[in-house]
């Protein structure tokens, strides 16, 4: 029994079934709140079962919850056929098809138009099931054995897209109940550039909070090169295991990664510590003192001998993948695939593309030959949280490191100091590069500052090149045009990096094929 809800394992996972026991009216209302958190515009919930099974009782509790009014009058729609309510988000349509003769009658009722952007709750759906969306959630209610007519059994079955949603709903309830967060309310959080990962903030009645990371296993994409999808080539995390491993690894070293309260690795759900939202930037840009501490975090991390394989759970390990030439090249080629055609508006010849790849292959050679470290890969202001109540370097909270690889230490330094979303002034960038170098040399007198400066220019150029492609792709493919506002900043970073001698040959290529970038070169101080 969990919060009045008894959870029973589904008999067939392919049917995505979930059986819940509702022993009394209070448990029915709690169950309605659980369902309401999962429903969204366009969803169809069908309520099946015999007379007196409790369909209208559950529907009434759902309508009141979705409308945010526990006292709302919700009469049975047996005679009106449909009742429409204003919800806190979408409208709610409560229907009863008992008096229908078939699905054809729904056309006369304007069913499709009425429910297009609403949450629809349908009693007696079998009277018109030939006209209902086959992708829906069905809840069949029956009397619970031995309850003398007071308790109910609710069998939830998801079809189509609802199958995976139902499995995730069940996994979520099991996770939060197991971790003591079953009474928390869920609050959606703004999404980032990820198309598969999302977050919610959980708030307990006492005000304490945690974060729910929803990161289901990444589906295999189409093969783009040698039979492998882009995500595999670019070494992007395919399961939540990578986050768990890196989180535990960073915390073991004393860094402020979020504590993991509980996990469901198969479902891709993590309940993690809420580090808050205090940024390392303000309205003017980077806060120098906070950026300095974030730089010192990297210097301390990179100055250690780090394992290449990390534990996830009993019997499960995560080998940190190498940031190899194949990964680095497919990233820079995003510039050719997305930025050049969709932002510049031109097409490059096959020979121009080949020259680009060959030059980057040559340039990256010296970086690939150097020692590697943990490259967190998304170490920049959106993923850094200031924790003023902690001491020293632990004041820098870190999130979004699941795509970590074994790569050049210069990459994350460039990621921080050439932030794609916040302009880092060149003078602050140079000052913090110097800070990083001094901290590294204090621990290791053999640290080669000159070699690091070259690696920094190369990795910063690689990163700026790929981000131009990524942000163009986010606009054109994923419908996120707000990323385009950052392109001028990234273009300026790229020009700054191309001024370094380590990128001399590549600079000529950019001048020849992307000349509109180069006029900025004389306006910006060169990288040193």
């Amino acid at each position: 029994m969990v919060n009045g809800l008894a959870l029973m394992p589904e008999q067939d996972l392919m049917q995505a079934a979930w059986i819940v026991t509702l022993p009394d009216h209070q448990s029915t209302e709690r169950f309605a709140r659980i369902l309401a958190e999962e429903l969204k515009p366009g969803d169809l919930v069908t309520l099946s079962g015999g007379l007196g099974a409790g369909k209208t009782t559950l529907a009434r509790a759902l309508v009141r919850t979705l409308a945010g009014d526990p006292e709302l009058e919700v009469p049975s729609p047996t005679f009106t056929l449909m009742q429409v309510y204003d919800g806190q988000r979408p409208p709610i349509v409560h229907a009863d098809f008992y008096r229908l003769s078939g699905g054809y009658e729904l056309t006369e009722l304007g069913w499709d138009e009425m429910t297009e952007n609403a949450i629809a709750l349908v009693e007696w759906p079998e009277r018109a099931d030939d006209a209902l969306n086959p992708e829906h959630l069905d809840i069949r209610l029956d009397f619970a054995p031995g309850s003398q007519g007071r308790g109910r059994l609710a069998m939830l079955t998801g079809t189509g897209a609802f199958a995976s949603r139902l499995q995730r709903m069940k996994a979520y309830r099991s996770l939060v109940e197991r971790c003591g967060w079953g009474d928390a309310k869920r609050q959606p959080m703004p999404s980032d550039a990820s198309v598969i990962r999302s977050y919610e903030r959980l708030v307990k009645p006492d005000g304490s909070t945690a974060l729910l990371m929803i990161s289901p296993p990444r589906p295999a994409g189409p093969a783009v090169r040698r039979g492998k999808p882009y995500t595999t080539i670019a070494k992007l995390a395919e399961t939540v295991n990578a986050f768990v491993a890196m989180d535990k690894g960073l915390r073991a070293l004393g860094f402020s990664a979020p504590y993991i309260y509980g996990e469901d690795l198969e479902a891709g759900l993590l309940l993690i510590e809420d580090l808050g939202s205090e940024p390392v930037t303000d309205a003017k840009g980077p806060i120098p003192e906070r950026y300095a501490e974030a730089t010192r975090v990297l210097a301390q991390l990179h100055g250690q001998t780090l394992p290449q394989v990390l534990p996830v759970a009993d019997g499960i390990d995560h080998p940190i993948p190498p940031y190899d030439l194949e990964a680095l090249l497919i990233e820079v080629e995003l510039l050719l695939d997305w930025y050049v055609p969709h932002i510049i508006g031109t097409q490059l010849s096959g020979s121009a593309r080949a020259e680009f790849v060959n030059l980057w292959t040559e340039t990256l050679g010296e970086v690939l030959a150097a020692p590697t470290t943990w490259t967190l890969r998304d170490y920049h202001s959106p993923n850094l949280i200031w924790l003023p109540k902690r001491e020293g370097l632990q004041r820098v909270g870190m999130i979004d490191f699941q795509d970590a690889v074994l790569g050049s230490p210069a990459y994350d330094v460039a990621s921080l100091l050439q932030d794609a979303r916040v302009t880092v002034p060149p003078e602050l960038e140079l000052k913090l590069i110097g800070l990083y170098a001094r901290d590294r040399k204090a621990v290791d007198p053999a640290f080669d500052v000159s070699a690091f400066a070259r690696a920094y220019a190369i990795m910063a150029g690689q990163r700026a090149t790929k981000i131009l492609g990524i942000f163009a792709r986010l606009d054109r493919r994923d419908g996120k045009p707000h990323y385009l506002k950052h392109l001028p900043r990234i273009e300026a970073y790229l020009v700054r990096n191309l001024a370094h001698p380590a990128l001399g040959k590549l600079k000529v290529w950019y001048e020849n094929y992307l000349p509109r970038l180069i006029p900025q070169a004389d306006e910006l101080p060169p990288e040193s």
Side-chain angles (χ1 to χ4, degrees), residues 254-277:
F255 298 110
S256 290
Y259 180 79
I260 299 176
Y261 300 122
E263 58 207 46
D264 186 324
L265 299 179
E266 184 177 352
L269 298 179
L270 297 179
L271 188 61
I272 64 176
E273 178 185 8
D274 184 358
L275 296 179
S277 57

Side-chain angles (χ1 to χ4, degrees), residues 227-390:
K228 295 186 290 187
Y230 173 85
T231 54
T232 299
I233 298 170
K235 307 300 193 297
L236 301 181
E238 296 180 346
T239 70
V240 77
N241 292 16
F243 181 95
V244 174
M246 293 305 303
D247 184 280
K248 291 180 177 179
L250 288 166
R251 292 186 69 252
L253 294 170
F255 298 110
S256 290
Y259 180 79
I260 299 176
Y261 300 122
E263 58 207 46
D264 186 324
L265 299 179
E266 184 177 352
L269 298 179
L270 297 179
L271 188 61
I272 64 176
E273 178 185 8
D274 184 358
L275 296 179
S277 57
E278 186 167 343
V280 296
T281 61
D282 59 19
K284 298 178 182 178
I287 300 174
E289 296 80 7
R290 298 181 182 183
Y291 260 60
E293 288 300 280
T295 303
R296 289 192 176 101
V297 165
L298 291 177
Q300 180 167 317
L301 177 65
H302 298 162
Q304 303 184 52
T305 300
L306 301 170
Q308 298 186 10
V309 179
L310 293 170
V312 177
D314 290 342
I316 304 175
D317 289 330
H318 171 66
I320 304 175
Y323 207 6
D324 56 19
L325 179 63
E326 186 179 42
L328 291 163
L329 287 180
I330 201 167
E331 288 182 337
V332 294
E333 288 180 74
L334 293 173
L335 179 96
L336 311 181
D337 296 335
W338 296 93
Y339 176 83
V340 171
H342 300 304
I343 304 301
I344 301 296
T346 62
Q347 293 290 338
L348 295 176
S349 66
S351 59
R353 289 182 65 102
E355 183 183 355
F356 176 86
V357 172
N358 290 337
L359 288 171
W360 269 114
T361 299
E362 178 184 346
T363 302
L364 290 165
E366 65 180 272
V367 173
L368 291 167
T372 61
T373 187
W374 290 359
T375 300
L376 303 182
R377 220 174 185 183
D378 286 304
Y379 192 86
H380 52 177
S381 64
N383 296 332
L384 299 177
I385 300 165
W386 189 248
L387 305 171
K389 295 182 179 180
R390 301 189 185 184

Side-chain angles (χ1 to χ4, degrees), residues 51-70:
L51 289 169
K55 299 185 295 296
T56 300
T57 300
L58 178 57
R60 182 176 293 119
L62 265 172
V63 170
R64 287 173 173 169
T65 302
L66 290 166
D69 184 355

Side-chain angles (χ1 to χ4, degrees), residues 418-420 422-424 464 489-497:
Q418 293 194 3
D419 195 306
V422 178
T423 298
V424 181
R489 175 184 304 112
I490 303 162
E491 291 168 348
Y493 288 149
L494 177 58
V495 171
R496 191 186 305 175
N497 298 319

